[in-house]
Amino acid sequence: MTTTGTLPTTATTSIPVITRIEDVPQIARKIVTAIPGPLTLALQKDYDRYVSPGVGQHEPIFADSASGATITDVDGNRYIDLAAGIAVASVGNTAPEVSTAVQKQAAKLLHTCFATTPYAGYVEVCKKLAEHTPGDFPKKSLLLNSGAEAVENAVKIARKYSGKSAVIVMENAFHGRTNLTMSMTTKANPYKAGFGGFAPDIYRVPFSYPLRDQFGADGAAAARKAVEEIALKVDPSDIAAIIAEPVQGEGGFIVPAPGFLEGLLDWAHKNGIIYISDEIQSGFCRTGEWFAGTHFGIVPDLITTAKALGGGMPISAVTGRAEIMDSVQAGGLGGTYSGNPVSCAAALASIDIMERKNLPARAAHIGELATELLAPLAASSVVAEVRGLGAMIGVEFVRPGTLEPNGDLVKRIMARAPQAGLIILSCGIYGNVIRLLPPLTISDAELTEALTTLCAVAFEEAAE
Ligand SMILES: *Cc1c(COP(=O)(O)O)cnc(C)c1O
């Protein structure tokens, strides 16, 4: 196995390897019924009858409550949460400080529409964004509701400022489900199949994928190749923006080789092109820095954030150089609900927890402990690589001893995980990566129980 990113490559061998799920003591987990349980099955009937199947359902679990790093279902089963609602609950599930802030705000002011009658919370969130995002220059922000909306608006702003229209995106990228953002996304299934026509003026070039591309750890060479392809496909003078996730999320938790993002950004700036960093999944302490691009020294012109920003409430943002943000006419950006007062209160409470509990340091610690705990899996012939930055960790599964993606095994692990008391997610262009996104407040004991269980699940399924 190989590791990339900042995960240490040495693992202690003193941790005993447990290969059977039933041998891992249930402490934080508590599975008391068959999974799915009886109340879940009853709910599932109505779900099947009334909910659009387009939404998808990873697990046969209906959540009743969640706290810290655990989720309890309607049948009373308690799971350790390694998904955090897709990197949203970084400050912990139902964090008391966030819940209290939401309740207080909800009792005082629910909505005015910020463009109609402004309120302090929105301005305060923009101030925090200016303070925490990379770059020592004046910055301004726009608040929105979802990640896709943030990406759409970043592109609108880049086009307005530059007067150009072409947008460069990365292979394996995920940017959302609206027309523009699904067009910018690589994977056809499930994100694009049957949903065309797609937005024009989008050009896709390879992202650095050290495990699988010809450049391996030579990120500068991968960047030169990407730039060469860009120039073949579109004249650089027609390009408004290049957009990249510093660590690809949905695409497979791919950490680019050092030198790749730097090379792209450098080329963008030499050609008068705006560089947009999509930190919707990787941002807000997840990788051991406030923003993942910092690991590579990336200071983007525009940055998109969402997910962990709201601590569980819907809110997203575009933050960028003031001169770029200032180029847009009043009324051109925003929306009725954008930057809702309750979501702003949740964001302020979440950022406060991140600051007080030093969650970047906590994320780095999670990365180190996880590397040790996943070492038995990393050494197995069905795992090509355990990789990641901080608490954004991917385990890429392959057919034994090859690099051939093993999506079937990941499907089996995903199906088995709830029975073992775990909530996990998969990802990857081939669907062969298990991604781990625990709440950053997870205790060492909970993480140890969860990852020991995950190894046992994988060993049992790989042996089938
Ligand atoms: C989740 C995600 C989005 C889309 O966010 P939504 O809130 O689901 O619209 C965009 N970019 C990245 C990198 C994401 O992880």
Side-chain angles (χ1 to χ4, degrees):
M1 82 109 190
T2 55
T3 54
T4 51
T6 56
L7 296 182
T9 49
T10 51
T12 53
T13 48
S14 56
I15 298 173
V17 182
I18 298 179
T19 54
R20 283 162 23 132
I21 299 166
E22 64 180 51
D23 291 343
V24 189
Q26 286 193 22
I27 302 162
R29 298 165 302 145
K30 191 180 85 178
I31 299 302
V32 294
T33 70
I35 306 292
L39 295 174
T40 298
L41 285 172
L43 266 171
Q44 188 72 44
K45 279 208 181 99
D46 277 353
Y47 180 110
D48 293 342
R49 182 157 178 202
Y50 296 114
V51 179
S52 162
V55 177
Q57 186 186 9
H58 282 286
E59 275 138 0
I61 295 170
F62 286 92
D64 182 54
S65 65
S67 169
T70 59
I71 295 177
T72 303
D73 75 10
V74 290
D75 290 293
N77 298 297
R78 195 169 61 223
Y79 307 84
I80 301 181
D81 176 21
L82 295 175
I86 319 189
V88 167
S90 287
V91 298
N93 284 290
T94 326
E97 300 92 328
V98 178
S99 286
T100 303
V102 164
Q103 286 167 34
K104 274 194 183 156
Q105 184 59 47
K108 219 169 98 175
L109 175 72
L110 277 180
H111 174 84
T112 59
C113 180
F114 186 70
T116 307
T117 312
Y119 36 86
Y122 188 116
V123 182
E124 286 165 22
V125 172
C126 294
K127 189 175 174 198
K128 283 288 178 192
L129 285 163
E131 283 169 13
H132 283 296
T133 52
D136 253 345
F137 38 75
K139 281 174 253 168
K140 293 190 179 179
S141 291
L142 156 75
L143 302 185
L144 301 142
N145 304 294
S146 70
E149 247 189 299
V151 173
E152 287 254 2
N153 278 277
V155 171
K156 277 172 68 174
I157 295 164
R159 284 176 168 163
K160 178 74 192 192
Y161 176 76
S162 66
K164 305 170 199 172
S165 64
V167 177
I168 306 299
V169 297
M170 301 295 123
E171 205 69 70
N172 308 323
F174 178 84
H175 294 296
R177 290 180 173 84
T178 59
N179 184 267
L180 176 62
T181 58
M182 79 171 165
S183 305
M184 293 165 67
T185 292
T186 296
K187 202 173 174 179
N189 266 301
Y191 305 122
K192 299 164 87 163
F195 296 148
F198 299 105
D201 258 345
I202 295 162
Y203 303 86
R204 188 166 280 109
V205 297
F207 190 73
S208 162
Y209 194 164
L211 176 70
R212 293 186 179 276
D213 72 17
Q214 64 190 105
F215 304 105
D218 190 351
R224 281 195 297 277
K225 171 73 177 159
V227 163
E228 204 182 288
E229 275 204 30
I230 295 172
L232 281 176
K233 291 176 175 174
V234 53
D235 193 273
S237 68
D238 290 330
I239 302 172
I242 294 181
I243 180 164
E245 301 154 83
V247 177
Q248 290 191 322
E250 220 68 24
F253 274 36
I254 303 166
V255 184
F260 178 74
L261 296 173
E262 301 91 308
L264 274 187
L265 181 128
D266 190 50
W267 183 83
H269 282 175
K270 282 192 177 124
N271 288 276
I273 296 164
I274 290 173
Y275 186 94
I276 306 172
S277 200
D278 182 349
E279 291 249 20
I280 288 168
Q281 190 156 164
S282 59
F284 281 106
C285 314
R286 174 56 52 188
T287 65
E289 295 280 357
W290 276 86
F291 293 94
T294 302
H295 291 283
F296 306 96
I298 294 297
V299 178
D301 303 306
L302 298 176
I303 184 166
T304 54
T305 55
K307 293 195 165 104
L309 169 60
M313 292 293 285
I315 186 166
S316 67
V318 182
T319 302
R321 291 180 188 274
E323 58 170 299
I324 298 176
M325 299 299 287
D326 283 344
S327 66
V328 182
Q329 67 279 16
L333 306 174
T336 307
Y337 299 112
S338 302
N340 172 273
V342 183
S343 290
C344 287
L348 290 170
S350 300
I351 293 169
D352 184 61
I353 296 172
M354 294 175 195
E355 290 170 350
R356 275 190 298 108
K357 294 192 174 167
N358 192 4
L359 289 192
R362 187 66 208 153
H365 169 78
I366 289 171
E368 283 168 24
L369 182 55
T371 306
E372 286 184 30
L373 294 163
L374 293 171
L377 207 50
S380 106
S381 66
V382 291
V383 170
E385 189 173 56
V386 174
R387 58 173 174 253
L389 287 174
M392 187 169 184
I393 301 156
V395 183
E396 178 155 355
F397 287 85
V398 288
R399 307 225 171 259
T402 71
L403 271 185
E404 205 187 316
N406 197 343
D408 293 340
L409 177 54
V410 165
K411 275 204 193 87
R412 294 205 304 274
I413 294 170
M414 292 291 297
R416 192 75 185 278
Q419 298 163 27
L422 293 182
I423 294 183
I424 54 173
L425 294 167
S426 61
C427 64
I429 206 78
Y430 312 107
N432 67 323
V433 178
I434 299 277
R435 58 169 144 174
L436 304 175
L437 291 164
L440 302 178
T441 55
I442 192 170
S443 70
D444 285 5
E446 288 166 328
L447 188 67
T448 302
E449 183 180 338
L451 296 187
T452 308
T453 307
L454 177 64
C455 288
V457 171
F459 283 125
E460 283 198 18
E461 290 303 324
E464 301 285 295

